[in-house]
Amino acid sequence: QKEVEQDPGPLSVPEGAIVSLNCTYSNSAFQYFMWYRQYSRKGPELLMYTYSSGNKEDGRFTAQVDKSSKYISLFIRDSQPSDSATYLCAMSAWENYGQNFVFGPGTRLSVLP
Amino acid sequence: KAGVTQTPRYLIKTRGQQVTLSCSPISGHRSVSWYQQTPGQGLQFLFEYFSETQRNKGNFPGRFSGRQFSNSRSEMNVSTLELGDSALYLCASSPGTGGSPLHFGNGTRLTVT
């Protein structure tokens, strides 16, 4: 079983739809949870960063963490064509050598006008 | 605040050559991590440097090496290039303490012919 599982998509939705992106993980030591957005030919851009279980909202984006189920989600409201990108989930935990980051493979999202 | 800067953006090299990639982290960040990104393998961790010391290393051959300077700038070197080294190489910085997320540059696209 991989440490982090993420549906690679591609996921196509019409403009204005609510998008739900999800990741599951197996390591209960993970404490920090992130979502990155990556446009073609660019590096991943940090979208959301959370520490605890629960919801965090930033504009049209909501990150949800359920540590008991080892499940994280990113919701995008009123999706726009400019949201078309690959979305990577990431999580981390402190080990004796430093902070260990693990990334999902990414979900490719297309928002159609 | 300036983001993570990577140079050059694009490189074309021949098999057997060596290459050096450069990364300037966000001001004040002491940790620099390097990742290789390919369509099939996703983001793969190469190594992390913190205060000029390699703190963590991924499962890559010894042809891949790096270093960090006293101003936190980092370089990555790949010797004896192979065709399979063609990838997007991403640098990410963070304060290196606490639970801070990674901030990525836009990468160096390396093509080995």
Side-chain angles (χ1 to χ4, degrees):
Chain A
Q1 182 189 10
K2 290 186 178 179
E3 257 190 310
V4 177
E5 302 268 8
Q6 182 178 12
D7 188 337
L11 177 64
S12 292
V13 301
E15 183 176 354
I18 296 174
V19 176
S20 172
L21 304 169
N22 310 294
C23 286
T24 58
Y25 61 95
S26 57
N27 187 351
S28 57
F30 288 137
Q31 302 168 294
Y32 307 97
F33 304 90
M34 291 138 279
W35 284 95
Y36 290 85
R37 176 177 64 193
Q38 186 174 20
Y39 292 116
S40 181
R41 298 188 182 85
K42 297 284 190 178
E45 171 195 9
L46 180 66
L47 272 180
M48 301 289 282
Y49 169 65
T50 59
Y51 170 68
S52 58
S53 283
N55 293 354
K56 180 177 180 180
E57 190 174 317
D58 184 359
R60 296 185 295 111
F61 299 91
T62 299
Q64 192 174 78
V65 174
D66 182 347
K67 285 187 177 179
S68 61
S69 301
K70 299 191 183 69
Y71 188 89
I72 68 170
S73 299
L74 178 71
F75 298 96
I76 307 174
R77 290 184 300 280
D78 187 26
S79 56
Q80 303 295 310
S82 59
D83 295 326
S84 298
T86 297
Y87 290 79
L88 300 155
C89 65
M91 39 214 78
S92 70
W94 277 98
E95 309 285 351
N96 54 6
Y97 50 77
Q99 195 169 0
N100 174 36
F101 287 87
V102 179
F103 289 83
T107 299
R108 186 180 296 179
L109 171 67
S110 293
V111 181
L112 307 175
Chain B
K1 211 180 220 184
V4 178
T5 304
Q6 291 188 247
T7 56
R9 287 297 314 277
Y10 302 94
L11 267 177
I12 300 175
K13 290 287 186 178
T14 303
R15 196 170 43 181
Q17 288 185 313
Q18 77 166 22
V19 67
T20 299
L21 313 182
S22 182
C23 173
S24 292
I26 291 172
S27 177
H29 285 188
R30 294 163 63 192
S31 169
V32 172
S33 299
W34 289 89
Y35 288 82
Q36 181 194 68
Q37 188 177 40
T38 57
Q41 299 295 320
L43 273 171
Q44 292 194 288
F45 173 70
L46 282 154
F47 29 67
E48 183 216 1
Y49 286 86
F50 178 76
S51 293
E52 302 179 66
T53 300
Q54 188 180 84
R55 188 159 67 172
N56 193 10
K57 188 177 187 304
N59 294 324
F60 276 82
R63 300 185 297 107
F64 293 81
S65 63
R67 59 178 175 168
Q68 187 180 32
F69 303 96
S70 58
N71 62 359
S72 293
R73 193 177 68 85
S74 178
E75 288 182 347
M76 190 190 95
N77 185 274
V78 188
S79 63
T80 320
L81 285 165
E82 300 178 358
L83 296 178
D85 297 334
S86 295
L88 180 66
Y89 290 89
L90 292 160
C91 167
S93 77
S94 77
T97 58
S100 301
L102 295 175
H103 297 267
F104 285 88
N106 281 324
T108 294
R109 171 75 62 184
L110 173 65
T111 302
V112 182
T113 62

